[in-house]
């Protein structure tokens, strides 16, 4: 049974051979893997179940940078401009060390005052066939290896919009109903839907969607607000993806405690929830409530167990997952986020070995 066949059997409730494993790593951890194992290819080094595919570029970063310069939008020294216009720069290493995710983010559209101004930036043409042209070959390559072909489209709607506009300003736009946030959210929903559909048509097995909408104390907005502004747009993406013949499975990612909207996610067609963050969504409660309607991904804490626990504690966390797998839960075991450089290499090995010992 290939890893792809194993995953499909697990998701459909048929007997399967092993629990799928994923080990997303930051570049410093890839460097560490190369020093220890002589390779930068985690998929083959650990025989991981997932192979990742990608479409084309979403625009020309130089056009965005040129437009910012023309309009006197401040771009800090050392910042990079992405192909969709986002602006970031590395964090201060004196305070954040080698951490990969703690970049400083800027919001270049935050000072735009009209919808027309926002629309006049150099947005790429969603009808351009070159955008997703590479998908078919990329999917075929992963499937030929027997792995689960996966496309990551996290930052599906909300995050892509506020990265450009600013979170506070996006909320203000929606309350004021000035049309700017609605246009941005609709555009990113359409972009995500088109890419997801193209991937599904190319035969991808798993589409990973997501937007962080939770804190570790609950939702970062009211559930009513989420249902009004974000749920319909997410549903649009999921629905379009599921309408393709032989549709892929859909995973949804949000950090934090979003238990108040899990039933909504199931309602609109989400198959897998990620990351089941143990610091605020303990697996015992989540699995007891939703294991018959939803699969789970993650579960091994990157705030606690992976960086600060012992190898034995990593194995114990995997053991909690195994307990629920024995009770019928479907799981992809992985860290709850990318593995940062503060994680001891021995804990990476302990996680991989513990998962591979499980026989469902």
């Amino acid at each position: 049974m290939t890893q792809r066949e194993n995953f499909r059997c697990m998701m459909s409730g048929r007997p399967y051979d092993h629990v799928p494993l994923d080990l997303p790593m930051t570049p410093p951890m890839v460097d560490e893997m190369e020093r220890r194992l002589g390779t930068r290819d985690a998929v083959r080094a650990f025989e991981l179940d997932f192979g990742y595919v990608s479409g084309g570029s979403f625009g020309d970063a130089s056009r965005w940078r040129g437009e910012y310069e023309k309009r006197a939008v401040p771009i800090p020294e050392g910042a990079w401009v992405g192909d969709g216009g986002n602006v970031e720069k590395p964090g201060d290493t004196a305070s954040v060390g080698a951490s990969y995710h703690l970049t400083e983010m800027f919001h270049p559209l935050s000072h735009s005052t009209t919808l027309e101004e926002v629309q006049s930036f150099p947005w790429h043409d969603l009808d351009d066939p070159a955008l997703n042209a590479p998908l078919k070959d990329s999917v075929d390559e992963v499937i030929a290896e027997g792995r689960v072909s996966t496309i990551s489209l996290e930052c599906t709607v909300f995050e892509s919009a506020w990265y450009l506009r600013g979170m506070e300003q996006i909320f203000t736009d929606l309350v004021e109903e000035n049309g700017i946030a609605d246009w941005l959210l609709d555009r990113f929903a359409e972009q995500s839907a088109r890419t997801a559909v193209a991937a599904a048509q190319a035969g991808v097995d798993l589409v990973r969607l997501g937007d962080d909408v939770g804190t570790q104390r609950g939702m970062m907005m009211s559930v009513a607000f989420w249902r009004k502004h974000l749920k319909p747009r997410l549903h649009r993406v999921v629905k379009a993806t599921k309408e393709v013949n032989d549709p892929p499975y859909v995973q949804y990612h949000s950090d934090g405690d979003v238990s108040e909207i899990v039933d909504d996610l199931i309602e609109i067609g989400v198959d897998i929830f990620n990351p089941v963050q143990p610091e605020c969504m303990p697996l015992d409660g989540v699995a007891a409530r939703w294991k018959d309607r939803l699969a789970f991904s993650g579960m091994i804490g990157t705030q606690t167990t992976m960086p600060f626990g012992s190898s034995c504690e990593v194995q114990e966390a995997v053991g909690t997952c195994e307990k629920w797998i024995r009770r019928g839960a479907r799981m992809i075991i992985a860290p709850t986020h990318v593995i940062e450089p503060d994680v001891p290499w021995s804990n990476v090995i302990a996680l991989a070995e513990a998962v591979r010992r499980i026989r469902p």
Side-chain angles (χ1 to χ4, degrees):
M1 183 180 291
T2 67
Q3 290 154 315
R4 181 176 187 246
E5 292 167 339
N6 180 80
F7 171 76
R8 286 178 167 263
C9 284
M10 180 191 74
M11 289 301 299
S12 63
R14 292 174 287 161
Y16 60 106
D17 289 340
H18 68 271
V19 176
L21 169 68
D22 205 9
L23 287 174
M25 297 185 188
T26 56
M29 289 303 287
V30 175
D31 294 340
E32 181 69 12
M33 179 175 64
E34 185 175 28
R35 284 192 290 270
R36 292 176 177 272
L37 303 182
T39 180
R40 299 185 67 82
D41 188 346
V43 171
R44 288 170 177 79
F46 290 94
E47 279 303 308
L48 303 179
D49 291 74
F50 302 90
Y52 291 87
V53 305
S54 61
S57 170
F58 286 120
D60 184 344
S62 65
R63 289 181 62 204
W64 281 94
R65 182 177 282 276
E67 197 66 27
Y68 292 152
E69 291 174 357
K70 185 173 76 173
R71 303 186 192 203
V73 175
I75 303 297
E77 184 178 353
W80 67 85
V81 178
D83 60 13
N86 54 300
V87 178
E88 299 177 61
K89 67 179 293 186
D92 178 11
T93 56
S95 58
V96 303
S99 179
Y100 176 68
H101 260 81
L102 297 182
T103 59
E104 190 174 359
M105 185 177 291
F106 302 87
H107 311 294
L109 305 190
S110 61
H111 299 297
S112 297
T113 57
T114 67
L115 175 58
E116 291 72 23
E117 183 182 353
V118 169
Q119 290 173 325
S120 67
F121 279 93
W123 303 97
H124 62 274
D125 180 5
L126 292 176
D127 292 322
D128 183 355
L131 289 177
N132 295 307
L135 272 172
K136 186 67 171 71
D137 289 344
S138 186
V139 170
D140 287 346
E141 182 179 341
V142 173
I143 290 176
E145 294 178 352
R147 303 186 198 278
V148 183
S149 58
T150 306
I151 187 166
S152 292
L153 299 177
E154 289 93 348
C155 304
T156 308
V157 179
F158 177 56
E159 286 189 73
S160 293
W162 78 251
Y163 287 177
L164 290 173
R165 184 71 170 149
M167 185 183 290
E168 183 177 342
Q169 189 59 57
I170 280 286
F171 286 139
T172 301
D173 292 338
L174 290 170
V175 171
E176 293 181 348
E177 299 182 345
N178 61 26
I180 294 176
D182 286 299
W183 187 86
L184 287 169
L185 294 170
D186 284 338
R187 179 179 173 84
F188 286 115
E190 180 66 15
Q191 175 179 296
S192 296
R194 292 195 185 202
T195 304
V197 167
Q201 291 172 335
V204 80
D205 299 300
L206 177 61
V207 173
R208 293 184 172 179
L209 307 177
D211 283 303
D212 288 335
V213 293
T215 74
Q216 291 186 206
R217 294 179 293 177
M219 295 286 290
M220 68 171 65
M221 63 197 76
S222 72
V223 173
F225 191 94
W226 179 84
R227 285 175 177 157
K228 178 179 179 180
H229 296 292
L230 299 182
K231 179 181 177 180
R233 292 173 167 107
L234 176 62
H235 187 196
R236 173 180 166 192
V237 179
V238 176
K239 184 173 184 291
T241 306
K242 294 284 191 174
E243 286 175 345
V244 175
N245 289 333
D246 191 18
Y249 291 101
V250 172
Q251 174 176 296
Y252 182 82
H253 163 89
S254 176
D255 294 332
D257 180 357
V258 296
S259 54
E260 290 182 285
I261 65 167
V262 169
D263 286 322
D264 294 79
L265 297 175
I266 295 170
E267 175 197 323
I268 64 175
V270 169
D271 303 296
I272 305 168
F273 176 70
N274 168 275
V276 192
Q277 192 176 341
E279 296 84 7
C280 54
M281 287 187 74
L283 178 59
D284 283 342
V286 171
R289 185 171 177 183
W290 288 297
K291 72 178 178 63
D292 295 330
R293 296 189 291 151
L294 196 62
F296 309 114
S297 169
M299 288 78 69
I300 312 301
T302 51
Q303 285 183 311
T304 50
T305 306
M306 289 302 293
F308 302 120
S310 65
S311 295
C312 288
E313 287 170 321
V314 172
Q315 293 168 353
E316 288 171 4
V318 173
T320 301
C321 296
E322 182 177 7
K323 174 186 72 175
W324 285 104
I325 290 167
R326 301 290 175 207
R327 299 176 185 178
R330 298 161 296 161
M331 292 189 181
I332 300 163
I333 299 182
T336 52
H337 216 293
V338 289
I339 301 174
E340 296 279 7
D342 58 350
V343 173
W345 186 252
S346 57
N347 282 359
V348 177
I349 299 299
L351 173 59
E353 290 181 347
V355 174
R356 290 311 187 203
R357 282 197 293 268
I358 301 173
R359 284 295 172 263

